[in-house]
Amino acid sequence: MPLYDQHVHTFLSFDSTEQVENYLAFQPAVFVATDHFDLHNPSDQFHDNIPDYQQLKKIQQAFQTDTIFLTGIEIGVVPGQETQITDYLTHHPYDLRLVSIHQNGKFDYMSDEILTKAKSQVIPAYFQQMQTVLENFSGGQILTHFDYGLRRFELTAAELAELAEPQLETIFKLLIKKDMALELNAKSIVPKRSTLSLCCSTLSKSRRKIIYPRLRCACSCRLSKFIS
């Protein structure tokens, strides 16, 4: 089964200047850029960052190659924004919709402000936000970098289990129930930043046996829908 990166950004994102043709120069079988959609974004002076959908469609039509060119978006969701985001998606039918928890309306979880806060407060709040979004927002297909809110902290598996084990179990079960995929983000896997394995080792062995096979199945099922 062919694989392709479903999490790349272009100049249509507030934090990127990359040009689409630079990706297409590699002649991928499939290409999709998932540019940032973040309302009231603290990383950009609380502006609403909304990618230009019409420009994306023009770019898609301009590149007539053997590459399958899909439209995508990465939606940063803060509880309370669900209706506005759903209305936007209704009028802008993207092929692929990623869901992310980047910020809480006050600060970004990767900002320096995080370092002034206790991880015992930030981490439970981060995963509670993620759980709330998964419970109340139905516009996404893939949950991205679910460790985003952990990256500025030094954590052991024991600490994470104490702070977030019940929430992680609930989140994994929600992904399975909603037939959503869990993104395996490279920043979560590389040495010294293996927060993905940290999260995975948090659940008890008995819970892992129940949840993980079904979670991987949900990921494979979702990927196959877009690759076939």
Side-chain angles (χ1 to χ4, degrees), residues 11-12 51-61:
F11 68 95
L12 295 176
D52 189 330
Y53 181 80
Q54 296 305 323
Q55 187 172 6
L56 174 61
K57 293 297 291 184
K58 289 179 180 177
I59 294 171
Q60 182 188 42
Q61 294 168 6

Side-chain angles (χ1 to χ4, degrees), residues 24-91:
L24 295 180
F26 292 95
Q27 299 180 323
V30 180
F31 172 75
V32 57
T34 44
D35 285 302
H36 283 296
F37 177 107
D38 283 278
L39 300 176
H40 195 62
N41 186 2
S43 292
D44 191 29
Q45 300 181 322
F46 295 96
H47 292 147
D48 287 345
N49 296 129
I50 302 175
D52 189 330
Y53 181 80
Q54 296 305 323
Q55 187 172 6
L56 174 61
K57 293 297 291 184
K58 289 179 180 177
I59 294 171
Q60 182 188 42
Q61 294 168 6
F63 287 98
Q64 299 293 330
T65 68
D66 292 334
T67 296
I68 299 172
F69 193 132
L70 303 177
T71 58
I73 189 170
E74 180 184 0
I75 310 158
V77 187
V78 175
Q81 298 176 347
E82 294 91 347
T83 300
Q84 185 176 354
I85 295 172
T86 298
D87 182 65
Y88 174 83
L89 293 175
T90 298
H91 296 92

Side-chain angles (χ1 to χ4, degrees), residues 127 146-147 150 160 168 195-203 212:
F127 283 119
F146 78 115
D147 66 309
L150 312 181
L160 186 56
L168 281 169
T195 44
L196 177 64
S197 61
L198 185 66
C199 290
C200 290
S201 64
T202 297
L203 298 186
Y212 287 177

